[in-house]
Amino acid sequence: MRFAHVIAPGASQPHLVVADGEEVVAVADLFDGAPSVMEELIRGGDAVLDRVRTSLDAHRGPRRRIDGLTFAPALLTPPVILAIGLNYAAHSSELGLKTDSTPTVFVLWPNSLAAHDGTTSWPRSLSESVDYEAELGVIIGAPAKDVSPEDALSHVWGYTVVNDITARDIQYSEAQWSRCKSFDGFTPVGPFVVTADEVPDPQSLHIWTRLDGHMLQDGSTRQMVRPVSSLISHLSRSVTLLPGTLISTGSPGGAGYSRDPQVFLRDRSTVTVGVDGIGELTTHCRILD
């Protein structure tokens, strides 16, 4: 199943919808007490998800076409956004950074969350070296603590698409990476979350970036240094991964920073990142003078 947050015409708050073909249905219309946002749906577990599925099959009420929807971020209030750096050898090499023996982990701030087809802006005075990074997003369902790699995927609720936008000049001038990747709007997520049963193998997915019509990243999640299962297991040793936790799993090679000449997001650029089987996520860019 595929879920998203959308904002109805005239409304100020997003609501949860479920996709049915090329249309969506408001989850709140399916049954009394239905979850209104993604985080409530995830915390409800399999029982609520099964009820949504059976109610959707019987639903004869209003539907809206996906075309023309105004999206909100696929997650609104995740407990934490954990990002993994240097998880593709080609990307580590092109940035001139070493892939360590353990994962590079940092936190993205909640203000950075942004929606599909939205506009992300930043002051030119802060950075003119803003880069794109297509990433597979993993969303935890069942709490995970000290899980083995063999059991880790059973704790995944779903998958989404993330663009880990990065101010490279700040990244290379500071010892930690949270600020350079957490400007307002620097973490577009969505548009949909696809439930885990739709992705039997998260290590066999085509992942890519297209900037202003040019394909600049073209890779596969099989190129990860550490697969999703290993990342979840590693993280769960020190913290309990709570339902709704978003893990951004790293980016393949092809970043703009490493190109000759370098390619960065410009004023009025449009960047689309995608993961086959999960979706495409588009961001419009504005640089403020």
Side-chain angles (χ1 to χ4, degrees):
M1 303 185 77
R2 294 191 299 156
F3 294 90
H5 289 126
V6 303
I7 301 175
S12 59
Q13 298 298 318
H15 65 277
L16 182 66
V17 298
V18 56
D20 189 11
E22 296 303 313
E23 299 175 319
V24 298
V25 175
V27 173
D29 291 344
L30 294 178
F31 55 89
D32 291 341
S36 60
V37 296
M38 195 82 66
E39 287 81 351
E40 291 179 5
L41 176 64
I42 295 168
R43 289 193 297 268
D46 290 342
V48 174
L49 188 60
D50 289 343
R51 189 170 182 189
V52 170
R53 183 179 288 109
T54 57
S55 299
L56 179 63
D57 290 340
H59 182 70
R60 298 295 179 265
R63 297 166 181 259
R64 294 183 60 196
R65 294 279 301 174
I66 291 175
D67 295 343
L69 290 175
T70 299
F71 289 90
L75 289 168
L76 302 175
T77 57
V80 67
I81 310 166
L82 298 173
I84 308 299
L86 311 179
N87 199 33
Y88 289 74
H91 187 54
S92 307
S93 176
E94 70 186 0
L95 295 181
L97 298 170
K98 180 183 177 182
T99 298
D100 293 326
S101 57
T102 58
T104 298
V105 182
F106 52 96
V107 175
L108 299 175
W109 301 339
N111 58 282
S112 68
L113 289 171
H116 167 66
D117 209 30
T119 297
T120 290
S121 61
W122 61 92
R124 191 182 305 275
S125 59
L126 277 180
S127 181
E128 293 188 77
S129 305
V130 176
D131 210 346
Y132 50 84
E133 289 188 4
E135 307 206 4
L136 172 67
V138 177
I139 300 166
I140 296 297
K145 176 63 176 176
D146 286 327
V147 301
S148 67
E150 294 75 19
D151 186 49
L153 294 186
S154 68
H155 293 262
V156 175
W157 192 87
Y159 299 90
T160 191
V161 183
V162 177
N163 188 351
D164 181 24
I165 299 175
T166 306
R168 295 292 186 202
D169 44 358
I170 294 177
Q171 181 181 24
Y172 283 92
S173 67
E174 297 182 350
Q176 56 77 35
W177 294 355
S178 290
R179 188 171 81 97
C180 69
K181 293 170 175 282
S182 293
F183 287 19
D184 291 343
F186 266 29
T187 313
V189 178
F192 286 95
V193 174
V194 177
T195 53
D197 59 306
E198 301 284 340
V199 184
D201 182 5
Q203 305 310 142
S204 63
L205 303 172
H206 179 212
I207 183 169
W208 50 268
T209 295
R210 188 172 61 247
L211 174 61
D212 295 328
H214 301 283
M215 187 72 80
L216 296 183
Q217 288 186 295
D218 188 4
S220 169
T221 57
R222 72 171 54 92
Q223 298 164 333
M224 286 184 186
V225 175
R226 302 171 188 87
V228 171
S229 58
S230 294
L231 293 175
I232 293 172
S233 177
H234 174 80
L235 293 168
S236 75
R237 292 174 195 156
S238 54
V239 299
T240 300
L241 301 176
L242 298 174
T245 294
L246 173 63
I247 304 170
S248 197
T249 57
S251 185
Y257 176 86
S258 62
R259 293 178 174 271
D260 186 13
Q262 292 179 319
V263 177
F264 293 122
L265 303 179
R266 302 173 298 175
D267 187 40
R268 301 186 186 277
S269 282
T270 295
V271 56
T272 298
V273 299
V275 181
D276 284 3
I278 298 176
E280 299 183 4
L281 170 65
T282 294
T283 300
H284 307 284
C285 304
R286 293 303 310 271
I287 301 178
L288 307 177
D289 291 316

